[in-house]
Amino acid sequence: MALPRALLQYICGLVLLIASVNALKFDLQARGPNDKKTERCIRNFVAKDTLVVVTAIVSGSRGDGMVVNMHIMDNVGNEYGKPRDVVGEQRIVFTSHADAAFDVCFENVMTHTRMNNPSRHVELDIDIGADAKDWSAIQATEKLKPVETELRRIEESIADIVREMDYLRAREQKLRDTNESTNTRVKWFGIGTTLLLVALWGWQIMYLRAYFRSKHLI
């Protein structure tokens, strides 16, 4: 019994270490309405068909002279949300459409020009995969014991890790194939260039020989 318990503790620790919650707190400085557009973005990678919950808590109140806008979009062009004038808690839930990195961007725009140190405090929480599910609701719906719920959460976290490792393995294979293809093309290009230079050298010798013979120099 000692070995399975130690193994379970090791797996639990590994899952908790890798599948940790991404939480950030920062102050978002405001810009003037006529200033260049500036955004503060947080990037995260997500696999395809993965549940993502983005929770942002923004301080302040509407009408205080600042407007905070959010924008969530991945690097292949899929848009997942664009709430405007965010105050208090804002939660966005979506399922990713591709294996890609997505950005959660904020901008703070002043509506009143006369303000001292205009900024809003933002608390951002991003849950991905198994961490994004409401396990309390799942436990109540399926009538699971706390231990069963925790084991199921760990199981899904491990499955997320395995899917990510499979994606990285496939990407590594694709990069390896591209590298080998490039090396093959470079090799044949070098061989072709060498043969062309040899042919050009032979043609020059034949041309010069014919030229000198026509001038009766040789």
Side-chain angles (χ1 to χ4, degrees):
M1 294 297 293
L3 182 59
R5 182 179 299 175
L7 181 60
L8 180 60
Q9 290 177 349
Y10 174 77
I11 294 175
C12 292
L14 181 63
V15 170
L16 291 175
L17 178 63
I18 298 177
S20 58
V21 177
N22 301 305
L24 287 174
K25 296 182 181 180
F26 56 91
D27 291 325
L28 187 65
Q29 296 294 325
R31 65 174 178 84
N34 298 323
D35 295 341
K36 183 180 179 181
K37 182 177 181 180
T38 56
E39 292 182 328
R40 183 163 185 176
C41 298
I42 292 86
R43 173 165 290 189
N44 217 320
F45 177 82
V46 66
K48 185 180 180 180
D49 297 328
T50 302
L51 179 65
V52 180
V53 177
V54 177
T55 305
I57 302 176
V58 181
S59 64
S61 59
R62 288 186 174 89
D64 63 356
M66 289 179 287
V67 175
V68 175
N69 301 318
M70 289 180 61
H71 187 201
I72 303 177
M73 185 176 182
D74 63 22
N75 57 4
V76 296
N78 298 309
E79 190 171 289
Y80 299 108
K82 202 172 183 179
R84 316 291 293 182
D85 197 7
V86 179
V87 174
E89 182 174 324
Q90 177 75 41
R91 177 170 294 184
I92 301 174
V93 182
F94 64 90
T95 301
S96 58
H97 300 324
D99 296 321
F102 68 94
D103 294 323
V104 181
C105 298
F106 297 85
E107 68 167 350
N108 189 2
V109 183
M110 285 190 299
T111 57
H112 299 163
T113 56
R114 295 182 179 179
M115 297 183 68
N116 294 324
N117 191 23
S119 66
R120 288 272 189 89
H121 184 71
V122 179
E123 295 183 15
L124 179 63
D125 190 5
I126 302 175
D127 295 317
I128 299 175
D131 292 331
K133 294 185 177 180
D134 188 351
W135 290 104
S136 298
I138 294 176
Q139 180 180 355
T141 302
E142 301 184 13
K143 299 180 180 180
L144 301 175
K145 295 180 180 179
V147 175
E148 294 175 335
T149 305
E150 184 64 19
L151 288 175
R152 184 168 172 181
R153 187 186 68 81
I154 293 174
E155 181 183 2
E156 294 205 12
S157 298
I158 293 175
D160 290 339
I161 295 172
V162 171
R163 282 194 295 269
E164 185 171 353
M165 294 297 294
D166 289 340
Y167 167 77
L168 293 175
R169 189 180 298 110
R171 186 176 180 181
E172 180 185 2
Q173 181 64 39
K174 183 178 179 180
L175 292 175
R176 187 185 300 114
D177 293 342
T178 302
N179 186 35
E180 291 177 356
S181 175
T182 302
N183 289 338
T184 302
R185 292 179 181 180
V186 171
K187 180 184 71 175
W188 285 111
F189 176 77
I191 294 174
T193 302
T194 302
L195 293 176
L196 181 61
L197 290 175
V198 171
L200 181 62
W201 173 71
W203 176 80
Q204 286 180 335
I205 291 179
M206 294 178 62
Y207 174 80
L208 291 175
R209 179 178 296 179
Y211 175 79
F212 289 143
R213 284 179 176 176
S214 65
K215 298 295 183 179
H216 303 287
L217 297 176
I218 58 175

